[in-house]
Amino acid sequence: MAQHIAELCTLLVDDLYGNLSSRVFATLVRVGRLTLGNVAHHSGLSARQVKHGLVVLIQQHLVLHSTQDSVTHYEANVQQAYALVRSGKIIKLVEDRFGEAAGGIVSNLLLLGHARVKDLAEAYGVSKKHGLNGAQVNGNASLNTEEKEKERTGSQHFKTLGQLHKELGRLLNEGFLKEVWPVQFKPEADVQTEAELIVTRDQYKGGVKGTKQTVQFNEDVRALKRKWRDEGADEDRANGQANGTKPARPVSKRVKINKYAMNGMSGHANDDDDLVGSLLDEELIVRVNIDRCNVAFRSQQLVEFCSRYISESTAMVYEALLQRLETKIERCHDLLVIVKDEIEERETAPLVTLLEVSNALDKNVDLAAGLWSGNDNQTSSAGSNGNKTNNYEDEGYVEEEDSFQVNGSHRADQLTARDKMIHIKSHLQLLCDDPRRFVTWVGSRGGGEYRVNFRALTSSLIQYELEKSVTARFGALATRLVRALHTKGKLDEKQACNICLVKQKDIRVHFAALQEAGYVDTQEIPKDNSRQPSRTIYLWSFDQSRCRELVLHDTYKAMCKLLHRMKVERRRYKAVIDKAERTDVIGNEDRYLTGMEKQTLSQWRDSEEKLLTQLSRQDELVTLFRDFPMPPFEP
């Protein structure tokens, strides 16, 4: 495993869960798959200490485990450990979309790892028995009295059990929460081995022979793993014995709105008696769905990308379209689904209609802004006297037979339903016509069907960030060279000069610097067997995937340094921070802190804010370079 990502994950675990858990996690990251005794041996801890550390790590899904022949092996979950750095972003995302109450649920689940619905209700003080004290989530963690008091008095408090179940059901239906299955605690290698054994036993008793049978065998294994992932599976189910547990989500389908029996929930304080039979299962165990959050983060970056090149109003229409597509997409890329070519990917991509975009769009958006109008003094022919035209006039844009002129003087709240559809269609047309192809028109059903090519858009986003990095380090001319190589492919110096319109001596220095940093590479093609430099053609090339991995590695390194710097700064102000975090001082700073201590505390908070802001920006690069790219097509 790369040194910097391992160090980064260890620092995150240490910051949130303490030294004991971080030592156990660091041992598993450094050494690899180990048993309990081996973890104790390599970490220098006692077996009792290792058990306490593993309990916390398993609860948080930071360690995966598998038992074979009465021996349990443990393995670090680096992907989940890195997700700790974006906990704040996930909470902010959910709060913006669903409100503070939903953000509070996600915040608690991120803190606890996973929890039963029953235990969440008890922790919020809205369970059927109204237990407020000692409420434990899955027996491993609990919300303390202070946090419960905050929940009761704050905006995140749920007054009734129905309100809590309604919010949980909405988050489950939208995919931001998911049900916990035993298979999610197993390492990928064990799941793969178990699936291969079961498929071989049930379908290939004579063994796998030939290329065609091998391909079909691999597809059957992936299908079984998809079933376990989407429906859930335990040891009995994996061996073909039904356990009677109803799956929370159907295979390859989004959960329907009434899947979690939310009918009749009105959210009033006196409606719990009427909700018998329509609440969630109390034994349902839920956790935050990181994959679904990554899909939402991708939409955010695409909306920002769109606003840079078109307009804010068009970007808001694009945001509504992407959010409608999110409900049809489980994750940014599915490694258990093999796509052979671009045609197959295009045929299986989800679609969204103009009507769906219109229903999802915020009513306060000024749709007329950002659309071209030849004469601002002109008013809509349809809005002035009801007369309609069927052509394109010089004074403005007229939409076919609808003939509504786009004019900046019309506000969103003044638009009729028909005019709104015309404006949205115009914005979608801008997205289709843009060289980056934010949207592709497919058909006319539902006012128009549209598809988004996430593979091409992700590549454009990555190229944009790489060019920003090159510009910051080597200047604008180097960026021009990289863009030319990315567009044209391999070029020699003379061809690069003609394309970039610069002299040959000016680009050699930049090519040398880019090659030394690893952004470009060169290939020697001799003209004859003498292989003399004068008889050799040197072709320069740019590999986006290679540069992406290079920048990703540097980003991990930078994030490690930021976390180390935060620890140094915290030690520098440790005395004042410890005093300010005392329970009797919180809320009474003016009474217990001196003027110098307040100034020192303010300096620490300013320094911490700057470091956290930079850490968040680095995480956006990691999300783009690691989580968004789709795997290459397979034959």
Side-chain angles (χ1 to χ4, degrees):
M1 182 178 297
Q3 173 187 355
H4 296 298
I5 180 61
E7 181 184 0
L8 174 62
C9 292
T10 303
L11 289 171
L12 291 171
V13 173
D14 179 70
D15 186 56
L16 292 175
Y17 303 108
N19 180 261
L20 177 60
S21 297
S22 67
R23 286 182 64 179
V24 175
F25 184 84
T27 302
L28 292 172
V29 169
R30 183 180 70 254
V31 182
R33 185 185 179 97
L34 294 172
T35 61
L36 178 63
N38 290 332
V39 174
H41 171 73
H42 288 282
S43 63
L45 300 171
S46 65
R48 181 183 180 86
Q49 291 175 318
V50 171
K51 287 181 181 179
H52 284 297
L54 287 174
V55 165
V56 176
L57 294 173
I58 292 174
Q59 171 74 21
Q60 304 297 330
H61 297 259
L62 300 174
V63 167
L64 306 175
H65 59 90
S66 177
T67 303
Q68 296 178 355
D69 300 330
S70 301
V71 178
T72 303
H73 291 82
Y74 301 93
E75 183 177 316
N77 187 357
V78 178
Q79 298 292 331
Q80 184 69 24
Y82 178 82
L84 296 173
V85 78
R86 59 182 62 151
S87 298
K89 288 184 178 180
I90 295 174
I91 297 171
K92 180 66 165 57
L93 172 68
V94 175
E95 285 183 351
D96 291 342
R97 294 198 181 188
F98 305 104
E100 293 185 1
I105 293 176
V106 171
S107 177
N108 287 326
L109 287 175
L110 287 172
L111 177 66
L112 301 171
H114 59 268
R116 289 188 305 172
V117 172
K118 177 181 179 181
D119 295 322
L120 281 175
E122 291 179 356
Y124 279 105
V126 294
S127 64
K128 293 180 180 179
K129 62 181 181 180
H130 299 288
L132 294 178
N133 299 320
Q136 291 190 351
V137 178
N138 207 31
N140 293 326
S142 63
L143 298 176
N144 57 38
T145 306
E146 242 181 73
E147 290 171 330
K148 292 174 190 173
E149 182 64 24
K150 182 180 178 181
E151 291 294 337
R152 289 197 297 272
T153 58
S155 60
Q156 299 176 358
H157 171 59
F158 297 98
K159 297 181 180 179
T160 66
L161 183 64
Q163 291 177 353
L164 175 62
H165 282 236
K166 181 178 181 180
E167 203 65 50
L168 285 171
R170 184 163 62 148
L171 291 173
L172 283 164
N173 287 319
E174 291 293 332
F176 286 93
L177 298 184
K178 66 178 180 180
E179 186 170 356
V180 176
W181 302 103
V183 73
Q184 297 173 8
F185 292 90
K186 289 186 176 181
E188 176 61 28
D190 293 277
V191 176
Q192 177 72 18
T193 302
E194 187 176 354
E196 291 177 353
L197 290 175
I198 293 174
V199 171
T200 303
R201 182 195 64 191
D202 296 342
Q203 304 179 36
Y204 299 89
K205 296 181 180 180
V208 181
K209 302 176 181 178
T211 304
K212 292 184 178 180
Q213 207 172 48
T214 301
V215 173
Q216 184 60 40
F217 171 78
N218 293 332
E219 179 57 36
D220 293 338
V221 170
R222 286 192 293 268
L224 181 59
K225 291 171 65 178
R226 286 197 302 270
K227 181 179 179 182
W228 289 353
R229 181 192 65 191
D230 298 332
E231 288 187 345
D234 54 18
E235 297 291 342
D236 294 333
R237 175 174 289 188
N239 290 279
Q241 300 174 2
N243 62 357
T245 302
K246 184 178 179 181
R249 312 181 86 173
V251 181
S252 302
K253 294 182 180 180
R254 296 294 304 178
V255 179
K256 298 181 180 179
I257 296 301
N258 60 352
K259 178 65 181 177
Y260 288 92
M262 292 160 49
N263 297 332
M265 290 187 179
S266 60
H268 298 291
N270 60 351
D271 63 350
D272 280 345
D273 294 337
D274 301 330
L275 295 177
V276 178
S278 61
L279 299 176
L280 299 178
D281 182 5
E282 290 186 342
E283 300 301 320
L284 178 69
I285 304 176
V286 295
R287 60 177 292 202
V288 177
N289 188 356
I290 302 298
D291 291 333
R292 178 66 176 83
C293 295
N294 288 337
V295 175
F297 290 142
R298 180 176 65 181
S299 298
Q300 288 182 345
Q301 292 207 24
L302 288 177
V303 170
E304 293 176 3
F305 193 49
C306 173
S307 64
R308 282 196 293 264
Y309 289 101
I310 305 181
S311 67
E312 291 292 338
S313 56
T314 304
M316 298 182 77
V317 174
Y318 192 41
E319 182 180 15
L321 182 144
L322 291 175
Q323 289 186 7
R324 290 303 305 165
L325 278 179
E326 286 178 17
T327 61
K328 307 174 185 180
I329 301 174
E330 292 284 348
R331 48 190 56 83
C332 291
H333 52 82
D334 194 345
L335 298 178
L336 299 181
V337 176
I338 302 300
V339 180
K340 297 181 179 179
D341 51 33
E342 186 177 353
I343 297 177
E344 181 180 349
E345 184 177 70
R346 185 167 61 247
E347 291 176 350
T348 56
L351 305 177
V352 63
T353 64
L354 177 64
L355 184 60
E356 290 177 323
V357 176
S358 177
N359 294 334
L361 188 63
D362 188 358
K363 296 180 180 180
N364 297 322
V365 177
D366 184 9
L367 294 173
L371 296 178
W372 177 82
S373 177
N375 187 354
D376 290 338
N377 295 324
Q378 290 289 337
T379 58
S380 169
S381 58
S384 57
N385 54 15
N387 297 328
K388 295 186 177 182
T389 58
N390 292 321
N391 54 6
Y392 290 85
E393 303 279 335
D394 290 338
E395 57 267 18
Y397 173 70
V398 183
E399 174 68 17
E400 299 179 353
E401 61 184 27
D402 297 306
S403 64
F404 181 83
Q405 180 186 345
V406 176
N407 191 291
S409 62
H410 291 273
R411 304 299 301 174
D413 53 358
Q414 298 174 329
L415 297 177
T416 64
R418 187 177 184 85
D419 297 335
K420 179 181 179 181
M421 298 290 285
I422 295 173
H423 281 71
I424 294 175
K425 190 172 183 180
S426 300
H427 285 287
L428 292 176
Q429 188 62 43
L430 289 175
L431 293 169
C432 292
D433 294 339
D434 190 87
R436 281 151 287 276
R437 296 291 180 183
F438 290 104
V439 169
T440 303
W441 182 84
V442 178
S444 57
R445 186 180 67 87
E449 286 184 308
Y450 299 88
R451 177 192 298 117
V452 176
N453 187 351
F454 289 107
R455 183 184 295 273
L457 283 174
T458 301
S459 178
S460 298
L461 268 175
I462 292 174
Q463 184 64 25
Y464 174 80
E465 292 296 337
L466 290 176
E467 289 177 2
K468 283 178 59 178
S469 176
V470 172
T471 303
R473 294 183 61 180
F474 307 104
L477 180 55
T479 305
R480 242 196 296 177
L481 294 173
V482 168
R483 189 179 296 121
L485 293 176
H486 177 66
T487 305
K488 302 296 183 180
K490 295 182 179 180
L491 300 172
D492 60 14
E493 288 186 357
K494 185 177 181 180
Q495 292 173 322
C497 291
N498 294 334
I499 293 174
C500 298
L501 302 177
V502 292
K503 296 180 180 180
Q504 193 167 354
K505 64 178 181 179
D506 295 334
I507 68 172
R508 288 177 178 172
V509 177
H510 290 85
F511 268 142
L514 289 170
Q515 185 184 25
E516 183 179 0
Y519 283 92
V520 299
D521 201 0
T522 184
Q523 179 182 4
E524 300 179 5
I525 302 179
K527 296 181 180 180
D528 51 35
N529 293 333
S530 64
R531 295 184 177 271
Q532 295 294 326
S534 59
R535 300 289 298 169
T536 302
I537 300 175
Y538 296 91
L539 296 180
W540 295 92
S541 62
F542 170 80
D543 187 353
Q544 186 186 85
S545 60
R546 179 172 175 267
C547 292
R548 173 171 58 87
E549 292 295 332
L550 178 67
V551 176
L552 183 61
H553 178 271
D554 292 341
T555 304
Y556 287 144
K557 185 177 180 181
M559 295 177 75
C560 288
K561 291 183 177 180
L562 287 171
L563 291 176
H564 281 300
R565 186 62 190 175
M566 288 182 64
K567 285 192 173 185
V568 171
E569 292 291 326
R570 178 176 283 274
R571 285 197 298 267
R572 180 182 175 185
Y573 302 103
K574 186 177 187 301
V576 178
I577 293 173
D578 291 343
K579 183 177 180 180
E581 290 179 349
R582 280 166 36 189
T583 56
D584 59 327
V585 177
I586 296 177
N588 300 304
E589 288 82 358
D590 294 336
R591 179 180 178 184
Y592 292 104
L593 295 180
T594 65
M596 182 62 67
E597 288 175 337
K598 291 179 183 178
Q599 183 179 359
T600 304
L601 188 62
S602 176
Q603 292 175 355
W604 151 246
R605 288 173 177 170
D606 291 342
S607 177
E608 183 186 38
E609 183 179 359
K610 292 177 182 178
L611 292 172
L612 289 176
T613 301
Q614 186 61 29
L615 190 68
S616 176
R617 292 174 178 173
Q618 298 293 327
D619 175 59
E620 290 180 0
L621 289 179
V622 174
T623 307
L624 173 61
F625 292 149
R626 188 195 67 176
D627 299 330
F628 294 171
M630 296 183 176
F633 297 118
E634 294 191 12

